[in-house]
Amino acid sequence: MPRGKTTSKVTGKPARQLLFSEALRQQKHPSVEGSPPLPCANMTEDTQGATMDRILQEISAVTRKLEGMDNAMVELTAETRSMRLDLAGFQSQMSGLDQGVTTVETQVASWTDRDLELSHLRSKLTDLEDRSRRNNVRLLGFPEGVEGADIFSYLWDILPRYNI
């Protein structure tokens, strides 16, 4: 960075001049012990210029680091937004899956009822198939075992009474 070319945005003075006047002001008000010594008023202009250049370089390095941090923050913000969108999509998918599970549970419950009904119908079908294989005649309204040992003679006597 050329000496004396950098200017302050606020005052328009060269940055080296601002830093030098700041150093003189701080020299009148001594700083805390252990801090680096400030440029003195009796320093030669070359020594003061070299010190100011070194300070400007350090400020420039800090500025670059801050810009890098700012870029990293922008990237983190973008990534966080992306993660939020992904999370919202996952939540939407989860609610859809929850509705699907509810539908499946309802269908399984209805299948259980249908399974019981199917079992009942199978037993009826088995009973009907067994009856048709026997070629039996079924007479309703007669008490069980009333025919005795000879069914044929009982029916021969009883059927003319009912006009069958």
Side-chain angles (χ1 to χ4, degrees), residues 92-132:
S92 174
Q93 288 177 352
M94 287 299 293
S95 69
L97 291 174
D98 188 36
Q99 290 173 354
V101 166
T102 303
T103 303
V104 168
E105 287 173 344
T106 304
Q107 288 177 350
V108 166
S110 71
W111 290 344
T112 304
D113 294 341
R114 288 180 186 163
D115 197 30
L116 290 173
E117 183 181 353
L118 182 62
S119 173
H120 178 69
L121 290 174
R122 281 185 181 154
S123 69
K124 278 185 162 183
L125 179 64
T126 303
D127 185 44
L128 290 173
E129 285 175 347
D130 288 346
R131 288 184 193 277
S132 68

Side-chain angles (χ1 to χ4, degrees), residues 6-18:
T6 307
T7 59
S8 168
K9 290 181 182 175
V10 176
T11 62
K13 294 181 180 179
R16 187 170 16 154
Q17 183 181 357
L18 287 173

Side-chain angles (χ1 to χ4, degrees), residues 50-106:
T51 304
M52 291 299 147
D53 285 343
R54 193 182 80 228
I55 291 172
L56 287 174
Q57 288 174 356
E58 289 178 15
I59 289 173
S60 174
V62 168
T63 303
R64 283 191 302 275
K65 287 181 182 178
L66 287 175
E67 287 173 353
M69 290 175 152
D70 188 41
N71 291 339
M73 287 299 293
V74 167
E75 290 175 14
L76 285 174
T77 303
E79 190 173 331
T80 303
R81 284 187 186 130
S82 173
M83 289 176 149
R84 284 183 185 166
L85 291 175
D86 290 346
L87 184 60
F90 291 145
Q91 287 174 338
S92 174
Q93 288 177 352
M94 287 299 293
S95 69
L97 291 174
D98 188 36
Q99 290 173 354
V101 166
T102 303
T103 303
V104 168
E105 287 173 344
T106 304

